[in-house]
Amino acid sequence: MVDLLLALFQRPNFLTFVIIFLWGFYIMLTRYNLVKKLVGMYLVQTSVIFFLVSISAKQGATVPVLLTTTDPVQAVDYVNPLPHVLTLTAIVVGVATLGVALALCAAIYRKYGTLDEEEILKKLQ
Amino acid sequence: MATGILMTFSFEIPLLLLLLVTAVGAVLVQDLISAILLLGSYSFFLALVWAWLGAVDVAFVEAVVGAGLATVLFLLTLFGTAPRVSRLRLPPPPMAALVSLPLLGLLLLYAANDLPQFGDPQSPPSTHISPTYLEQSYQDTHTPNVVTSILMDYRSLDTMIETVVIFTAGIACALLLRRHSS
């Protein structure tokens, strides 16, 4: 138990990731307003990306832009660039899905006149 | 050991707290426009944390796409729909969410013990293939920015398919938002 608490204390990024991830998930499950649900979805997306970027950090390393192009490169001097590439793709795709979801919201509002989930269900019946 | 970790993370802790405050506030605020603006500031603090962690390319993209484009998309939707309906109903949470989410959280926190130290150069994600990319990329692609060389050269097929995804999303938006001329 003490080990676990110490492990969490040494990884504040992971603790932040877990809190924001669960909070966003909870909002997606419980709120009626569709825009609030999308806010929760955005929190979940960005928290996972935050965790991936935190993994790539190295103590005492600099940004992954080579300082010298003639000497051999020491990998310890630069942070891990691979998660950065994967998360760049994930951010852009996440915003693309968010755009489609918001367009769906606008279409729903145009047809039903509300963004409240329960009222839409009532009008559907 | 513990004090050393505290020292290295000391600049990061206030940023993480700001992240948590804006993430919670963006949901709890009743007015939807204020919620979206808080979400934009959350994105911006996220970009600051990433710049602090050395991920400058990701920070740029988050500041432009996350804090800029996503906020604009949210605001356009709100102006197109009903920002006047600001009183949001808060239903009682379902039992399934109250049981399953804390269990998921406990599992995630239990896994924290097995994670490698953040910032450890010898951690598994930083040892297998990533040193190869760092050491070879200039010989292979003649680009000093390693992130660009991986994105546009080693993994250019991934990037191409990503543009297909964005194209599909654009078509979907256009089809959803088109006005019927009936």
Side-chain angles (χ1 to χ4, degrees):
Chain A
M1 193 64 204
V2 178
D3 282 357
L4 195 57
L5 283 179
L6 191 66
L8 280 178
F9 182 67
Q10 289 169 351
R11 297 169 179 82
N13 293 23
F14 183 72
L15 195 59
T16 318
F17 151 69
V18 170
I19 294 172
I20 297 181
F21 179 84
L22 290 177
W23 175 240
F25 224 126
Y26 177 75
I27 295 311
M28 280 173 79
L29 285 176
T30 55
R31 298 299 151 119
Y32 281 159
N33 189 283
L34 292 180
V35 175
K36 276 282 157 91
K37 275 181 193 280
L38 289 183
V39 170
M41 186 184 90
Y42 187 76
L43 289 180
V44 171
Q45 284 172 352
T46 46
S47 70
V48 175
I49 295 170
F50 173 58
F51 176 56
L52 279 174
V53 173
S54 304
I55 279 179
S56 77
K58 284 183 200 168
Q59 203 82 260
T62 181
V63 296
V65 179
L66 301 182
L67 294 171
T68 163
T69 50
T70 47
D71 303 338
V73 176
Q74 296 296 318
V76 204
D77 295 339
Y78 303 98
V79 295
N80 185 357
L82 213 47
H84 297 186
V85 178
L86 303 180
T87 52
L88 279 180
T89 316
I91 291 173
V92 177
V93 170
V95 172
T97 50
L98 188 72
V100 174
L102 286 169
L104 265 175
C105 276
I108 286 174
Y109 184 80
R110 205 180 291 157
K111 181 152 189 194
Y112 296 103
T114 176
L115 282 179
D116 193 298
E117 197 181 55
E118 293 258 300
E119 287 177 28
I120 295 169
L121 281 176
K122 258 183 234 158
K123 287 186 185 179
L124 274 175
Q125 282 160 6
Chain B
M1 180 79 182
T3 51
I5 285 158
L6 262 187
M7 286 298 285
T8 48
F9 275 97
S10 60
F11 286 109
E12 208 179 347
I13 296 288
L15 281 176
L16 293 183
L17 285 178
L18 277 171
L19 267 188
L20 286 177
V21 168
T22 44
V24 172
V27 174
L28 290 186
V29 163
Q30 285 287 308
D31 183 31
L32 278 179
I33 301 251
S34 320
I36 300 313
L37 291 180
L38 270 174
L39 198 69
S41 63
Y42 162 83
S43 282
F44 194 73
F45 288 130
L46 210 55
L48 279 183
V49 176
W50 288 341
W52 170 255
L53 288 175
V56 274
D57 302 77
V58 191
F60 282 147
V61 170
E62 177 66 25
V64 172
V65 176
L69 185 63
T71 312
V72 168
L73 285 178
F74 265 118
L75 285 180
L76 281 179
T77 314
L78 281 188
F79 288 139
T81 57
R84 293 165 250 89
V85 190
S86 60
R87 232 192 111 264
L88 304 174
R89 291 185 303 127
L90 190 62
M95 212 53 209
L98 285 183
V99 174
S100 62
L101 284 183
L103 277 179
L104 180 62
L106 278 180
L107 266 179
L108 282 171
L109 293 182
Y110 183 67
N113 226 350
D114 296 334
L115 280 175
Q117 260 329 321
F118 287 142
D120 179 15
Q122 300 305 323
S123 67
S126 303
T127 43
H128 292 287
I129 186 96
S130 101
T132 319
Y133 280 125
L134 277 167
E135 285 155 11
Q136 309 264 316
S137 75
Y138 193 74
Q139 278 77 35
D140 288 347
T141 64
H142 297 281
T143 311
N145 189 337
V146 185
V147 174
T148 313
S149 75
I150 296 178
L151 187 76
M152 288 298 171
D153 204 302
Y154 294 108
R155 294 188 171 262
S156 47
L157 270 178
D158 284 7
T159 311
M160 190 183 80
I161 305 299
E162 182 206 348
T163 55
V164 173
V165 170
I166 297 165
F167 182 63
T168 316
I171 291 178
C173 283
L175 286 179
L176 282 168
L177 293 177
R178 118 196 108 151
R179 306 227 170 233
H180 297 284
S181 56
S182 56

